[in-house]
Amino acid sequence: MRLLLLGPPGAGKGTQAIHLAERLGIPHLSTGEILRAVASKGTTIGREVAGIMQRGALVPDDLMVTIVRDRIAQSDARSGFILDGFPRTITQGMALEKILDSAGLRLDRVLELKVDGAMLLDRILKRAADAKASGLMERADDNEEALRVRLDLYRKQTEPLSDYYRSKGILRSVDGLQTIEAVSHVLWEAINT
Ligand code: ADP
């Protein structure tokens, strides 16, 4: 099963992806996590990526496509994967299709979590406060300024992808404002219909 999760920052993609990955026995490929690992290294690219992420901006498409191509080619992703955080632009979406096409593969479902903008700001600022309170590392981009950039980029660059996947008949949109369990339940149904 090859799945893609679409949804704005704070929509709960990560939480749902982890759950689905476990249930389906396939890896969760989060480009945010991969990039945070790259950014934590003191290399030139690492520093560059860290700066981009801190502003809430997007890492260049060509670097993202290389990262995802390499990750998908690893053996644990052979029987399927859940992509979370990629594609984020139409260019990335087209590149993903090419990568999969050339291997004779295709996406089975694109799952979109829908949450309105005002709720997202609240959710993420709460996540940042909770992380701080429990002594966990805060994400450098979970502040109001970077979040506004991330939300704006999502609306302009990523959301148009949903129309593309809808036209292919593989998009399933789900209300992301329900409880975690309720969202899991409807996502599971969406995968199987
Ligand atoms: P969120 O969904 O909350 O925005 P992620 O962990 O998915 O968080 O991504 C964090 C940051 O990593 C993004 O704001 C962006 O800077 C970078 N990033 C992740 N995936 C991509 C991508 N596909 N293309 C460009 N930048 C990306």
Side-chain angles (χ1 to χ4, degrees):
M1 176 88 68
R2 287 171 190 84
L3 301 173
L4 201 154
L5 277 179
L6 269 187
K13 294 188 300 292
T15 307
Q16 296 298 336
I18 291 169
H19 183 78
L20 278 174
E22 215 165 273
R23 194 160 177 186
L24 292 164
I26 52 180
H28 166 211
L29 314 186
S30 155
T31 49
E33 273 174 26
I34 295 171
L35 290 173
R36 276 185 283 280
V38 171
S40 70
K41 301 204 175 101
T43 58
T44 311
I45 287 206
R47 278 194 294 271
E48 206 171 303
V49 165
I52 293 171
M53 291 177 83
Q54 196 157 357
R55 285 185 276 121
L58 292 179
V59 171
D61 286 335
D62 50 354
L63 175 58
M64 291 314 303
V65 171
T66 304
I67 287 176
V68 170
R69 182 187 290 121
D70 289 353
R71 184 61 190 87
I72 285 178
Q74 286 174 28
S75 60
D76 65 334
R78 206 171 293 149
S79 61
F81 52 77
I82 300 175
L83 256 180
D84 161 14
F86 184 98
R88 251 179 166 90
T89 63
I90 296 281
T91 306
Q92 292 180 10
M94 296 304 115
L96 175 64
E97 191 154 305
K98 250 176 124 177
I99 293 168
L100 293 176
D101 259 359
S102 67
L105 303 171
R106 59 180 176 77
L107 292 171
D108 295 294
R109 286 281 178 274
V110 175
L111 306 169
E112 181 186 37
L113 291 177
K114 294 200 87 99
V115 181
D116 84 43
M119 294 298 301
L120 295 169
L121 199 58
D122 283 359
R123 271 197 187 185
I124 297 204
L125 294 176
K126 186 174 178 302
R127 172 168 86 190
D130 288 350
K132 201 170 187 176
S134 58
L136 287 170
M137 261 255 286
E138 273 179 275
R139 270 178 56 166
D141 59 350
D142 274 355
N143 59 72
E144 198 158 339
E145 207 182 316
L147 182 64
R148 286 192 193 284
V149 177
R150 284 155 65 200
L151 285 174
D152 192 48
L153 284 171
Y154 182 79
R155 299 287 175 228
K156 289 189 181 135
Q157 308 245 51
T158 313
E159 210 164 28
L161 279 164
S162 63
D163 288 334
Y164 175 69
Y165 293 121
R166 187 176 298 113
S167 74
K168 302 191 78 174
I170 56 173
L171 183 81
R172 300 290 182 272
S173 292
V174 158
D175 172 11
L177 272 180
Q178 311 168 77
T179 61
I180 291 176
E181 291 72 23
V183 175
S184 291
H185 181 75
V186 282
L187 283 179
W188 189 253
E189 290 192 328
I191 288 173
N192 295 297
T193 53

